[in-house]
Amino acid sequence: MSLLLGFAGISFLAVLQSSLVNHLRLLDGRPDLILLAITGWALAGHGRQAMLFGFVGGFALDLFSEVPLGVSSAALVLVAVLVSYSEGRFWGVHPLMQLAAVIAASGVFYAAQLASLGIGGHSFDLPLVVNRIVLPSLFLNLVLALPAAQAAEALSRFFTPAEVAA
Amino acid sequence: MTQLSSKTLLASALIVLSAALFVLNLGGYLGPAREAIVRPLAGGQQWVSQRYFAAREFLTAPREATALQARIEELEAQNAALQDQIITLQEEASEAVILRALLNFARTSPETSYVATSVIGLDPSPFVRSITIGAGSDRGLSYGMPVVSESGLVGRIIEVNATSSRVQLITDPQAAVSVRLQNSRADGLVVAQANGELQVEQISHEVEVSQGELVLTSGLGGVFPSDIPVGHIVSVRTRDFELFQQAVLEPAVEFEGLEIVLVITNFRPVDQVPAP
């Protein structure tokens, strides 16, 4: 996929996250579109692009957020590294492993945000944060994980069709 | 091996770049660049959120209105252009209702200057409670200005761009509001829990706090003007071994449905230093 097209798409997802998806709540949790997109794209075998998109998507998210600039970028790059690790031999073993990838990715993403906010002086009641925000968000991410992975797979096939043997 | 190394190299470079962004932003060196990027994105945010509120208005309209809407939709089949016009008019009507309420609120304190603006986004991080509004320094907004709705206190501006600003809600765990209880005249401090629940802390044991009592800003500390409604007391917790009483507060503002807010522009907060 053209990188510029991907950057535009991921920035649009950040706008959607901020103005639309944040209204879809379960308790105080909400699905993370960019996280799902990065995870799906990395699972589709585009690890390097997923890192670049994660960097740009995280940057766009942080522009709309009180989270310090650069934190979501670094977290989403780490997510892309984690998910693309072993080139699909680990997370691609079984379709359900995609859910495990989303759980791991969400863990990295939330831990990075919480740590940066904590260092920045925010105080959290951790059990409450886990019960009201992290677990509901994780649940929503899991609900959307497989459709997101399928959408990423379809996009991947569209942009990089398999070569036909001569 | 080479592929793995190049991937590791790319990841390392991007993480170092993220760290550089973090440090440069803390130092305040990214202001103009940030401004240039936020402006078009805020435009996109405004466009999407207007459509969202219009769709929500349409879906949650009373039954008669829905029936009428169905009738209108039949006519829309014959005239597609009429559809756009109707939706636009409906959106304007609902905005007019909100603006009328805001105007009535503004009339209660004519000495205060307001800028009315729409809410165009929520903080993408679930751990932070802030909103983005569609007005910034171009319309005279600056750091620390209080934000209210027709019902009461919303929060204060913590970041200003040319065409948009970020508002820390009073339900953010980092926010604190000095308040006075209307009947008992006790002072207290409103702080938010991680789940957004508001508590009034540091209420003296010597006062009797009643359920339903109105809580107003006290103006102490100079962060907010006095006498803005913050909420009502829901329950009071008094323990002999604690220095102060605590009370649970129901906020006056319905934060979920915020569409338009007022920024108080002629209030100068005391000792408000913008974050770098």
Side-chain angles (χ1 to χ4, degrees), chain A residues 18 22 65-66 87 113, chain B residues 7 45 122-123 125 128 166:
Chain A
S18 162
N22 280 350
S65 174
E66 210 179 321
E87 304 288 345
Q113 288 198 359
Chain B
K7 194 185 263 186
Q45 255 186 324
L122 308 179
D123 197 300
S125 170
V128 177
R166 194 155 64 238

Side-chain angles (χ1 to χ4, degrees), chain B:
Chain B
M1 183 67 189
T2 314
Q3 213 177 29
L4 188 66
S5 304
S6 73
K7 194 185 263 186
T8 311
L9 202 65
L10 176 64
S12 308
L14 290 173
I15 287 171
V16 168
L17 205 54
S18 303
L21 281 176
F22 180 81
V23 172
L24 288 171
N25 186 53
L26 278 185
Y29 297 109
L30 292 180
R34 196 180 169 128
E35 181 59 56
I37 299 167
V38 164
R39 189 185 282 259
L41 290 178
Q45 255 186 324
Q46 190 142 24
W47 188 87
V48 174
S49 65
Q50 276 172 355
R51 265 76 200 155
Y52 166 75
F53 283 124
R56 194 179 67 174
E57 183 70 26
F58 175 76
L59 292 171
T60 57
R63 199 167 177 77
E64 293 87 352
T66 309
L68 285 173
Q69 192 69 40
R71 172 75 180 137
I72 290 166
E73 277 176 358
E74 286 173 22
L75 297 170
E76 282 167 15
Q78 298 167 355
N79 187 351
L82 198 58
Q83 164 84 7
D84 286 343
Q85 201 180 350
I86 289 167
I87 290 176
T88 308
L89 287 172
Q90 278 184 331
E91 177 62 6
E92 282 174 1
S94 69
E95 268 186 25
V97 170
I98 297 168
L99 287 171
R100 194 179 302 130
L102 289 170
L103 188 62
N104 288 336
F105 175 78
R107 280 178 179 149
T108 59
S109 50
E111 73 284 359
T112 309
S113 303
Y114 298 101
V115 166
T117 179
S118 53
V119 176
I120 62 169
L122 308 179
D123 197 300
S125 170
F127 308 113
V128 177
R129 289 169 195 277
S130 69
I131 55 173
T132 307
I133 56 175
S137 54
D138 284 357
R139 292 181 62 190
L141 304 196
S142 65
Y143 183 88
M145 283 181 172
V147 180
V148 297
S149 75
E150 78 278 11
S151 312
L153 186 64
V154 172
R156 69 187 183 106
I157 292 178
I158 56 167
E159 187 183 305
V160 184
N161 299 301
T163 55
S164 65
S165 305
R166 194 155 64 238
V167 177
Q168 181 186 53
L169 301 179
I170 59 170
T171 51
D172 186 275
Q174 286 302 101
V177 185
S178 294
V179 293
R180 180 164 294 138
L181 280 64
Q182 191 183 39
N183 300 336
S184 55
R185 309 308 295 167
D187 286 325
L189 191 69
V190 170
V191 290
Q193 307 303 301
N195 60 358
E197 184 183 275
L198 294 176
Q199 284 190 356
V200 190
E201 296 183 347
Q202 300 181 12
I203 307 171
S204 167
H205 271 296
E206 291 168 11
V207 295
E208 194 173 324
V209 181
S210 54
Q211 214 173 349
E213 192 169 347
L214 181 64
V215 177
L216 304 163
T217 53
S218 68
L220 290 175
V223 179
F224 295 105
S226 56
D227 298 330
I228 299 174
V230 180
H232 291 89
I233 299 290
V234 176
S235 62
V236 186
R237 192 181 76 183
T238 308
R239 290 175 176 167
D240 291 338
F241 56 86
E242 286 182 343
L243 283 174
F244 297 102
Q245 301 181 81
Q246 279 185 335
V248 175
L249 187 74
E250 187 188 350
V253 174
E254 183 64 55
F255 290 98
E256 292 295 319
L258 268 184
E259 284 184 46
I260 298 176
V261 293
L262 296 172
V263 182
I264 300 175
T265 53
N266 64 343
F267 175 77
R268 293 252 168 250
V270 177
D271 288 331
Q272 291 295 300
V273 182

Side-chain angles (χ1 to χ4, degrees), chain A residues 104-127:
Chain A
S106 302
V108 169
F109 189 56
Y110 297 142
Q113 288 198 359
L114 278 173
S116 70
L117 288 168
I119 291 166
H122 283 66
S123 54
F124 295 106
D125 179 349
L126 204 56

